[in-house]
Amino acid sequence: MTTYFNKSEIKSSVKTIASDYLKDCLHCDMISEDFVDLLKHNFSAKFVSFNNQNKQIEIGVEDTQIPSHYPVINVLSFPITEEDNLWLEKSFKNQMNDLIFYGNLINRKKYNHKNAEVIVI
């Protein structure tokens, strides 16, 4: 199956979906796999977790500026709320591959299509 999206449709839908993911974290005290995929993609993260006690998303990002034989992982923590999650909106990307990735997330969330081809027009 093939789905067609325009850029503005993807941008508005992915913001809505991300807001839903955040609300699910707050109400269910866990993070969904699709939200983990979104955060890993947006932050080029090595890991993502949800801290239930502090109501924070923790994202592990590799620091490539420090020369080392082993990866140096910096942990970024972002508090989540129902309204103000500007850190997430700022992480969205606009390249074609990114839009296709977001289109795939939209397909999974809205239409339950896991393997649909996404075409951005």
Side-chain angles (χ1 to χ4, degrees), residues 32-96:
S32 70
E33 285 300 315
D34 287 343
F35 193 29
V36 169
D37 291 343
L38 174 67
L39 294 172
K40 280 184 175 181
H41 176 83
N42 285 5
F43 288 92
S44 300
K46 297 297 179 185
F47 74 87
V48 174
S49 65
F50 177 65
N51 184 332
N52 326 18
Q53 295 172 336
N54 299 338
K55 300 294 185 198
Q56 292 182 335
I57 299 284
E58 296 174 346
I59 302 170
V61 180
E62 185 174 354
D63 187 349
T64 57
Q65 302 299 319
I66 300 174
S68 175
H69 294 291
Y70 299 101
V72 176
I73 306 294
N74 294 327
V75 178
L76 308 173
S77 296
F78 299 101
I80 58 173
T81 63
E82 293 271 344
E83 300 86 29
D84 183 31
N85 294 295
L86 192 58
W87 61 271
L88 182 57
E89 284 188 36
K90 288 183 178 180
S91 73
F92 292 129
K93 302 174 183 178
N94 292 314
Q95 300 298 319
M96 186 58 67

Side-chain angles (χ1 to χ4, degrees), residues 109-121:
K109 178 78 173 175
K110 285 187 174 181
Y111 309 115
N112 204 22
H113 298 139
K114 297 191 187 280
N115 297 323
E117 180 184 1
V118 172
I119 297 177
V120 179
I121 49 176

